[in-house]
Amino acid sequence: MTNFLSLADVTDIDALIQSGLTSKANPFADQHLGKNKTIGLIFFNSSLRTRLSTQKAAQNLGMNVMTMNVGQDSWGLEMEEGVLMNADKAEHVREAAAVMGRYCDIIGIRAFAELTDRDKDYREQVMHQFAKYAKVPIVNLESATRHPLQSLADCITIEEAKTVVKPKVVLTWLPHFKPLPQAVANSFCEWMNARVQSGNVEFVVTHPEGYELAPEFVGNTPVIYNQDEAFEGADFIYGKNWSSYTHYGQVLTQDPSWAVTMNDLRLTNNGKFMHCLPVRRNLKVADEVLDSSHSLVIEQAANREWSAQAVLKEILRNLI
Ligand code: AN0
Ligand code: CP
């Protein structure tokens, strides 16, 4: 592995899951891999889990870590080529990425979708510009269209918590008043589809009309517009809000009946509730679910450390 931008950079998901679990059992076994290596973590947006878990994983591997919030700690960065830079952006990604590439052996980047221009977001300009000009491996810390470190942690969590050989996993849309990116849902579909292919899970998606995700992510996954029907016999309920892809970036409904309650979980096979966090209590999911033994959200967030460590190990092995 050189870059970790999407599932396409992974050759063996099972091996990566196992590698995460190996680090979880023995976090400091590979300290030699990162000795005298530096990772730069660059944030265009807020983060709790990604920032801390990736830093922790890098430190477990003996790496030095530098973190920067773009626009607050550093100059605003221009991403477009050939423009007259007479507006608010003081520095071009050509120089910024090239310079950071001289200080860092690996760069992790978080840059959310702006949710105004779909083509621009889905072109993944920030990731590609950094990969082009930094000339060091790039790790996706949530880009416009994907959040693969989250999806890997989700796969690890499902492997650990499953009680049947081939669990039924349901991705459900949850209500929210703010337009959120599709990245977490897209990535989860991408990774679950691969797990369906390898016979590890059954997977369905449920959401209100108008919230269809991009076809390249949904693939052949059954989409069920009735949440109760989708929840029947589910082993894992994965909740997430996203804004519309077809009416790009819009909030089409805030229907509270889509929030997950204990009553909804009664339809499942003693189903576990998953969410990437942060989550707004009682807007998207009831307290009674989050505070019950059905909730996996804390374990899922804890597994972000091991997902990051699995990815960094692969990249570091390739560097040496
Ligand atoms: C972000 C999102 O929906 O993409 C990050 C989730 C990991 N969430 C919010 O902006 C609330
Ligand atoms: N799940 C996740 O990526 O959380 P943060 O936005 O806090 O990093």
Side-chain angles (χ1 to χ4, degrees):
M1 190 187 289
T2 39
N3 294 321
F4 182 71
L5 298 177
S6 77
L7 183 62
D9 296 309
V10 177
T11 45
D12 187 340
I13 299 184
D14 275 307
L16 209 53
I17 293 171
Q18 285 314 316
S19 169
L21 289 170
T22 303
S23 285
K24 186 171 185 170
N26 200 355
F28 310 112
D30 300 295
Q31 287 243 318
H32 59 284
L33 277 179
K35 189 169 186 307
N36 298 331
K37 296 274 189 284
T38 297
I39 187 168
L41 303 175
I42 316 286
F43 289 88
F44 287 81
N45 317 93
S46 306
S47 168
L48 185 155
R49 280 142 290 271
T50 305
R51 183 174 182 141
L52 298 181
S53 65
T54 312
Q55 173 161 358
K56 183 89 185 305
Q59 287 169 342
N60 291 346
L61 292 168
M63 299 188 81
N64 302 314
V65 183
M66 301 193 290
T67 305
M68 195 173 72
N69 300 317
V70 176
Q72 288 166 263
D73 305 344
S74 74
W75 310 106
L77 295 185
E78 177 61 56
M79 295 291 157
E80 297 293 337
E81 302 287 355
V83 290
L84 172 67
M85 285 174 57
N86 63 353
D88 58 329
K89 308 280 170 50
E91 180 155 26
H92 201 278
V93 66
R94 279 183 175 240
E95 285 78 42
V99 169
M100 288 186 239
R102 300 293 282 269
Y103 303 147
C104 303
D105 300 284
I106 301 174
I107 297 177
I109 302 162
R110 164 162 287 197
F112 288 175
E114 289 170 2
L115 297 176
T116 47
D117 180 340
R118 185 170 91 176
D119 288 343
K120 185 170 177 236
D121 284 344
Y122 275 68
R123 241 183 285 130
E124 291 284 14
Q125 187 187 45
V126 178
M127 292 292 138
H128 291 136
Q129 291 289 67
F130 267 92
K132 186 169 171 189
Y133 296 119
K135 296 189 166 63
V136 296
I138 301 295
V139 175
N140 184 341
L141 304 179
E142 187 175 336
S143 67
T145 69
R146 290 176 171 90
H147 194 0
L149 282 177
Q150 180 66 53
S151 306
L152 175 56
D154 300 337
C155 288
I156 293 172
T157 308
I158 290 170
E159 273 315 296
E160 285 184 314
K162 71 181 183 186
T163 54
V164 293
V165 177
K166 192 175 173 182
K168 175 178 173 181
V169 182
V170 180
L171 169 64
T172 183
W173 180 90
L174 304 176
H176 197 353
F177 55 88
K178 271 177 66 179
L180 297 189
Q182 294 106 32
V184 171
N186 284 345
S187 255
F188 191 68
C189 287
E190 190 162 62
W191 286 66
M192 281 301 117
N193 282 337
R195 301 303 280 159
V196 168
Q197 287 292 314
S198 55
N200 293 84
V201 300
E202 186 193 331
F203 182 52
V204 304
V205 176
T206 183
H207 55 69
E209 303 238 4
Y211 281 94
E212 291 77 11
L213 293 162
E216 74 238 46
F217 293 103
V218 181
N220 297 324
T221 306
V223 177
I224 301 171
Y225 293 97
N226 180 320
Q227 194 189 48
D228 285 356
E229 193 187 319
F231 278 21
E232 286 287 340
D235 298 289
F236 294 94
I237 301 295
Y238 192 101
K240 181 75 186 84
N241 168 268
W242 61 89
S243 58
S244 177
Y245 172 75
T246 43
H247 303 273
Y248 195 63
Q250 289 183 32
V251 174
L252 306 177
T253 175
Q254 298 178 42
D255 182 354
S257 73
W258 281 81
V260 174
T261 63
M262 274 319 259
N263 214 29
D264 298 318
L265 288 189
R266 286 196 187 95
L267 301 164
T268 68
N269 177 32
N270 197 23
K272 298 288 187 192
F273 179 79
M274 297 178 70
H275 190 283
C276 63
L277 303 182
V279 72
R280 287 177 186 250
R281 283 173 169 254
N282 302 313
L283 181 71
K284 293 166 154 184
V285 54
D287 281 344
E288 61 187 14
V289 173
L290 285 172
D291 298 331
S292 76
S293 59
H294 291 270
S295 176
L296 284 180
V297 298
I298 304 300
E299 201 51 42
Q300 198 183 342
N303 281 334
R304 290 293 307 275
E305 185 174 346
W306 317 118
S307 111
Q309 199 159 327
V311 166
L312 293 179
K313 276 193 284 183
E314 281 251 345
I315 295 175
L316 286 168
R317 283 198 186 106
N318 224 38
L319 279 183
I320 292 163

